[in-house]
Amino acid sequence: DAKTTQPNSMESNEEEPVHLPCNHSTISGTDYIHWYRQLPSQGPEYVIHGLTSNVNNRMASLAIAEDRKSSTLILHRATLRDAAVYYCILRKGNTPLVFGKGTRLSVIA
Amino acid sequence: DAGVTQSPTHLIKTRGQQVTLRCSPKSGHDTVSWYQQALGQGPQFIFQYYEEEERQRGNFPDRFSGHQFPNYSSELNVNALLLGDSALYLCASSLLASGTPGELFFGEGSRLTVL
């Protein structure tokens, strides 16, 4: 499985944008980039995914580098509820999700 | 619309015992996957069930087994429990027939403690 690298932790002020980076230099052409997050005491929840083009949904935006070797999850206005562990995952088709340790995001009021 | 439901939420067992965990997938989903999450780690894939058969399996011993029923619900069984089996067990459901990388919906998990 292609590997992703994320910072262990990040901190953000409430109501400010947050950019969560992910490096995946060994990504293959058929790998989709998925982001999930896990709030305290809950199971992971889907955030967004993309292949080559940038993607937007109600939760976040995903910016994918032109060479696809890195991507950035963007939360436009962080709230206290966004404090969670964020996982960047490469996935081919419907293969199982392979989780790393993710980035723990803290949001300061 | 109920999401993924798991039971029990918490349980305590002793070494050598057996445990069964249950999962009901989100309405309309046909595939159930099980994950183990140790404290401070990301979830690790155990296996996936589709059409009542195990389709994919992670690096877990045969002590871990499962079942999927005709109504798509699923059970995870762990035999001969070890202290290291203490973890949060997560069930995730998806729709395999979607043809594109389907979003997985996770339950809140069953927290197993082995003493």
Side-chain angles (χ1 to χ4, degrees), chain A residues 30 32 34 36 38 41-47 49 85 87 91-102 104, chain B residues 35 37 40-45 48 56 88 90 94-109:
Chain A
T30 55
Y32 283 78
H34 289 249
Y36 280 74
Q38 188 169 18
S41 302
Q42 294 190 25
E45 68 173 338
Y46 169 84
V47 177
H49 79 276
V85 178
Y87 298 99
R91 186 184 186 207
K92 288 180 171 55
N94 280 306
T95 55
L97 295 173
V98 178
F99 290 84
K101 290 194 174 181
R104 182 172 298 278
Chain B
Y35 289 78
Q37 186 172 26
Q41 304 294 317
Q44 301 300 305
F45 173 71
Q48 178 195 74
Q56 299 187 70
L88 180 68
L90 295 159
S94 58
L95 182 60
L96 195 64
S98 65
T100 58
E103 174 183 347
L104 268 66
F105 288 78
F106 284 82
E108 294 196 352

Side-chain angles (χ1 to χ4, degrees), chain B residues 2-97:
Chain B
V4 177
T5 58
Q6 293 187 241
S7 64
T9 53
H10 295 81
L11 69 167
I12 300 173
K13 293 284 188 178
T14 57
R15 280 180 297 173
Q17 286 189 312
Q18 178 263 348
V19 68
T20 298
L21 308 177
R22 296 176 176 81
C23 172
S24 292
K26 181 177 168 64
S27 177
H29 283 183
D30 57 8
T31 303
V32 172
S33 301
W34 287 92
Y35 289 78
Q36 180 195 65
Q37 186 172 26
L39 207 58
Q41 304 294 317
Q44 301 300 305
F45 173 71
I46 302 175
F47 42 53
Q48 178 195 74
Y49 276 83
Y50 172 66
E51 292 187 334
E52 301 180 49
E53 290 189 14
E54 182 181 297
R55 299 293 178 165
Q56 299 187 70
R57 189 178 183 93
N59 188 25
F60 279 80
D62 292 345
R63 298 187 297 108
F64 289 78
S65 63
H67 191 78
Q68 185 180 35
F69 299 94
N71 67 353
Y72 307 117
S73 68
S74 177
E75 287 181 352
L76 164 66
N77 300 293
V78 186
N79 294 323
L81 285 167
L82 303 174
L83 295 179
D85 294 332
S86 295
L88 180 68
Y89 288 85
L90 295 159
C91 170
S93 74
S94 58
L95 182 60
L96 195 64

Side-chain angles (χ1 to χ4, degrees), chain A residues 4 6 8 14-15 19-20 24-26 29 32 35 47-48 50 61 64 66 72 81 84 86 97-99 101 107-108:
Chain A
T4 63
Q6 300 178 252
N8 290 333
E14 197 177 11
E15 298 190 6
H19 291 233
L20 296 164
H24 29 78
S25 58
T26 59
Y32 283 78
W35 284 81
V47 177
I48 200 167
S61 296
I64 301 172
E66 198 169 330
T72 302
R81 196 195 171 275
Y86 287 78
L97 295 173
V98 178
F99 290 84
K101 290 194 174 181
V107 180
I108 302 167

Side-chain angles (χ1 to χ4, degrees), chain A:
Chain A
D1 295 319
K3 186 176 170 54
T4 63
T5 304
Q6 300 178 252
N8 290 333
S9 62
M10 291 185 65
E11 203 172 79
S12 172
N13 293 319
E14 197 177 11
E15 298 190 6
E16 290 190 357
V18 181
H19 291 233
L20 296 164
C22 181
N23 287 321
H24 29 78
S25 58
T26 59
I27 191 170
S28 73
T30 55
D31 284 327
Y32 283 78
I33 302 161
H34 289 249
W35 284 81
Y36 280 74
R37 72 180 186 181
Q38 188 169 18
L39 280 65
S41 302
Q42 294 190 25
E45 68 173 338
Y46 169 84
V47 177
I48 200 167
H49 79 276
L51 183 61
T52 55
S53 303
N54 295 343
V55 185
N56 300 296
N57 66 20
R58 64 174 179 81
M59 287 182 70
S61 296
L62 176 59
I64 301 172
E66 198 169 330
D67 63 6
R68 301 214 319 132
K69 293 185 177 182
S70 66
S71 60
T72 302
L73 179 70
I74 303 165
L75 307 180
H76 296 287
R77 286 181 72 233
T79 69
L80 295 178
R81 196 195 171 275
D82 292 320
V85 178
Y86 287 78
Y87 298 99
C88 170
I89 300 167
L90 301 183
R91 186 184 186 207
K92 288 180 171 55
N94 280 306
T95 55
L97 295 173
V98 178
F99 290 84
K101 290 194 174 181
T103 297
R104 182 172 298 278
L105 175 66
S106 301
V107 180
I108 302 167

